[in-house]
Amino acid sequence: MTSHLVTGVAELVTHDERFSGPLGVLPDAALVVDDGRVAWVGPASSAPDADRRTDVDGRAVLPGFVDSHTHLVFAGDRADEFAHRMAGARYTGGGIARTVAATRAATDDELRTRLAALVAEARAQGTTTLEVKSGYGLDVAHEERLLRLAREVTTETTFLGAHVVPPGVDRGEYLALVTGPMLAACAPHARWADVFCEPGTPLAFDRDEAHAVLTAAASAGLGLRVHGNQLRPGPGARLAVEVGAASVDHATHLDDADVTALADAARHGGPVVTLLPGVELSTRSPYPDARRLLDAGVEVALATDCNPGTCFSTSMPLMVALGVAHLRMTVEQAVRAATLGGARALRRDDVGHLRVGARADLCVLDAPSVAHLAYRPGVPLARTLTLD
Ligand code: NIG
Ligand code: FE
């Protein structure tokens, strides 16, 4: 096996507590990769020899971004809906049905080509781990198809049959389908299950419906995630705590009792709160307050939610910049949330950090420090570092 020495790292983010500050930063660093794993990390002055060498010439290196929430398998375009929103319309979730119709009408190869393009776009901006949900099929055959396609690009696949009740379908019948035959067909292709728990949004699911979906999914062996508290205060965050979900996502509208419940649960591995500030950007909504959660001891992740309705962006650097600009995060908190936070939201300990033994998923910046991710918003500084 060929070992590879990376030199010239002006700032290396490791998340290793032996090194400095909240990100475990090593200045003037080097690292050795062997067999796809981090084999050595330390000061450049004491770097060992290796078979090959790459000099990044004074750039910052950090763990590849972990985008723990996306809806990347879909067809169609909703730019018109976005433009209407920017002219004053509100987001209601009603456009999901349009994406479902376009997705059902697309061939496997059309969906595969679009998915591959989005994955490549994310990777080009430094994302090395992606979660991908279904949720634009909404019948047994199409949900299973979307998960099969998602499975071709990631192991982090999520069954989201409980995205919305398809228009014209009886709620009770649809819930029975999602928790019965659809779950049975999809579970073999999924690691996780998710539900859009948003009472007040007629096509989404209330607390008891979401609870039924999640308990059925847990019985089928799936890990749990929740879309909650996106559009208004609601039961999603506390439901995520109750069922032992890995993550509650959006969490834009949390009350004090939600934060207390999340903080109590955080002491024994409770849900990560995954904030999706691209959604607030693209729906022109008030941003959540990450600092309030972090101060209470809750682990926060940042993810894109890339989807054709509420945020059509694959850019984790943008999410870091928004986290700092609008969610009251420090640079260090936002970088952690986009790497280690995402890994924790997916219950992965092999990604999101660069301690010895981690997967050698590296993001390099055309800049000397990670602060530039927020300091130079919109500038394409980040890319995945490929070692050959
Ligand atoms: O995470 N909120 C629910 N689902 C997606 C949006 C889906 C859409 O509008 O197509 C989300 O924001
Ligand atoms: Fe989502």
Side-chain angles (χ1 to χ4, degrees):
M1 217 26 94
T2 311
S3 59
H4 208 126
L5 173 65
V6 181
T7 58
V9 185
E11 177 175 280
L12 181 69
V13 170
T14 65
H15 297 302
D16 187 329
E17 287 166 8
R18 293 176 303 151
F19 305 132
S20 100
L23 297 178
V25 164
L26 259 174
D28 300 321
L31 100 172
V32 175
V33 171
D34 204 345
D35 200 12
R37 299 272 166 174
V38 176
W40 181 90
V41 182
S45 54
S46 51
D49 270 345
D51 302 322
R52 294 198 185 168
R53 187 181 273 247
T54 295
D55 191 334
V56 297
D57 200 18
R59 292 177 169 81
V61 171
L62 66 156
F65 296 117
V66 179
D67 190 351
S68 60
H69 183 141
T70 82
H71 306 244
L72 290 188
V73 205
F74 66 89
D77 180 279
R78 284 158 58 195
D80 54 352
E81 178 189 322
F82 172 78
H84 283 137
R85 261 201 320 271
M86 295 306 109
R90 285 191 50 210
Y91 176 76
T92 63
I96 294 172
R98 286 173 69 198
T99 302
V100 171
T103 303
R104 286 181 181 173
T107 65
D108 284 5
D109 275 343
E110 284 163 355
L111 291 174
R112 194 176 274 127
T113 301
R114 292 179 60 123
L115 174 61
L118 291 170
V119 170
E121 192 179 277
R123 190 171 169 81
Q125 299 170 86
T127 298
T128 50
T129 302
L130 272 166
E131 180 264 11
V132 178
K133 300 176 199 300
S134 66
Y136 292 121
L138 305 190
D139 64 24
V140 175
H142 285 105
E143 282 295 305
E144 184 186 2
R145 178 168 85 118
L146 300 191
L147 285 165
R148 279 184 194 280
L149 292 166
R151 193 66 176 266
E152 293 176 7
V153 301
T154 184
T155 55
E156 301 298 337
T157 52
T158 301
F159 169 49
L160 182 59
H163 196 183
V164 290
V165 179
V169 176
D170 175 79
R171 284 191 87 78
E173 282 174 22
Y174 190 67
L175 258 183
L177 187 71
V178 168
T179 54
M182 193 187 284
L183 174 61
C186 290
H189 313 294
R191 178 165 183 229
W192 304 99
D194 196 343
V195 56
F196 185 15
C197 177
E198 194 76 40
T201 294
L203 295 176
F205 299 87
D206 67 20
R207 188 226 163 263
D208 291 349
E209 292 166 338
H211 185 267
V213 169
L214 294 168
T215 49
S219 304
L222 300 184
L224 306 180
R225 330 186 63 76
V226 178
H227 277 73
N229 305 67
Q230 176 183 357
L231 301 171
R232 57 189 73 77
R238 271 175 281 175
L239 178 61
V241 170
E242 190 186 320
V243 300
S247 178
V248 56
D249 300 40
H250 288 284
T252 307
H253 298 274
L254 297 177
D255 62 22
D256 288 346
D258 294 325
V259 175
T260 301
L262 288 162
D264 288 346
R267 285 192 268 280
H268 19 85
V272 171
V273 174
T274 303
L275 301 177
L276 309 167
V279 173
E280 280 74 40
L281 178 76
S282 303
T283 58
R284 204 175 271 159
S285 305
Y287 289 91
D289 182 352
R291 185 74 69 87
R292 176 188 184 207
L293 290 160
L294 291 161
D295 286 350
V298 177
E299 183 83 40
V300 170
L302 283 169
T304 63
D305 196 18
C306 184
N307 75 83
T310 56
C311 177
F312 194 10
S313 174
T314 52
S315 177
M316 288 295 283
L318 175 63
M319 303 311 142
V320 170
L322 290 173
V324 173
H326 292 294
L327 310 189
R328 294 212 305 140
M329 301 175 99
T330 64
V331 168
E332 289 81 6
Q333 287 168 339
V335 169
R336 177 188 166 106
T339 53
L340 196 62
R344 295 211 167 141
L346 294 172
R347 296 194 171 152
R348 291 276 299 268
D349 58 16
D350 58 335
V351 297
H353 64 91
L354 294 176
R355 299 188 289 270
V356 169
R359 280 176 58 114
D361 289 344
L362 305 177
C363 172
V364 61
L365 305 184
D366 281 335
S369 74
V370 290
H372 283 243
L373 285 165
Y375 174 48
R376 305 198 65 213
V379 180
L381 300 176
R383 64 188 152 87
T384 297
L385 181 63
T386 310
L387 302 175
D388 40 43

